[in-house]
Amino acid sequence: MAATERGAAGRISRRTLLAGTGVGLGLLFTAAPSAHAATLRDGSWTNPALGYFPNGGHFGAPRGDASHAGQDITNSVGTAVYAAAAGTVIRRQWGGGLPGRTGNALVISHGGGRYTYYGHLDAYRVSLNQAVSAGQRIGDMGATGNVTGPHLHFEIHSGGLGSVVNPVPYTGARGVDLGGGWSALDPDARGQRVRAVQHLLNQRGHGLQADGWLGPTSTEAVKAFQRGSGLVADGQVGPLTWPEIVYSLSQGANGHHVRAVQTVLNKHSAGLVVDGDFGSVTNSAVRGFQSGNRLVVDGLAGAITWRALVG
């Protein structure tokens, strides 16, 4: 049964709670891989929702004779829910077709026996059998099913449906802080966030090809930036580097840094032309993202909005 209780305030994090009755029976609770975790920070995973972790909504919490099979992320009804990784929607139904779950739910297959589950949705934004990209909006947070308040119940299955793992360390090893912090991208990472980093470095005169690959040339540019900012020059774009490398941007700005924010907005389904012009269309996209994630809607792409965009 899912009770949502407010946890410690002041941190953009996520937590919610789902009815886990019967979920733990017969499920294999395997540990998230930890060896070589840094090599997994390749940009392929992202945060599924913005919010906070409620008390008792953690993985393995007791649910009668069963155990809670996921991590709960609490926010208000209508908060955006995103695909945590690229894949295909294989379930779009009440409870996701899995035992012990309730509410509108989606299951996405990511290949290799890996699946993610998104429960208690208020609305679907994707169809059955649709291919989705990491960070694409797939639904709205809700309170459908057996809950006491709105939240997302998020699960990761590794090794087949039913083999649940703790989502917090699993995503953490992949550079995603489900508590709402900045993401981490290692050298050789790929994707829209890497392209954004390249645009941000180009604003500082590096002249990189914005190809979305944190290859040797881009990694050296990151290290140069880190050295110039008094940071450890390890080439990882993580919680210490992101706040230093992003710009505070608003309507009227123009340049490579605007291309960066347009790029990560597109990761979250904005559909912008990446032209470097922070005009009315980009302003509306920033405000729409802020509204969908329950941030202050001011059109300013500052540190808090950036953290949500690249999380």
Side-chain angles (χ1 to χ4, degrees), residues 185-188 193-194 196-202 204 206 208 213-238 240-242 244-245:
L185 301 169
D186 278 341
D188 204 39
R193 283 172 291 188
V194 173
V197 169
Q198 292 168 327
H199 286 309
L200 290 166
L201 289 167
N202 285 346
R204 294 171 169 87
H206 281 275
L208 298 172
W213 176 43
L214 196 56
T217 302
S218 292
T219 296
E220 285 306 312
V222 170
K223 289 181 178 180
F225 171 80
Q226 290 171 326
R227 284 191 293 269
S229 301
L231 302 172
V232 175
D234 58 4
Q236 182 191 88
V237 183
L240 297 180
T241 299
W242 277 118
E244 299 297 325
I245 203 170

Side-chain angles (χ1 to χ4, degrees), residues 282-304:
T282 298
N283 181 60
S284 294
V286 170
R287 289 176 176 272
F289 178 82
Q290 290 170 330
S291 176
N293 288 277
R294 303 308 185 250
L295 303 174
V296 174
V297 182
D298 57 6
L300 174 67
I304 293 175

Side-chain angles (χ1 to χ4, degrees), residues 7 77 101 107 118 122 177 206-207 218 241 247 255 264 292 294:
V77 171
R101 281 73 161 181
V107 177
Y118 311 78
D122 185 65
D177 179 5
H206 281 275
S218 292
T241 299
Y247 290 80
V264 284
R294 303 308 185 250

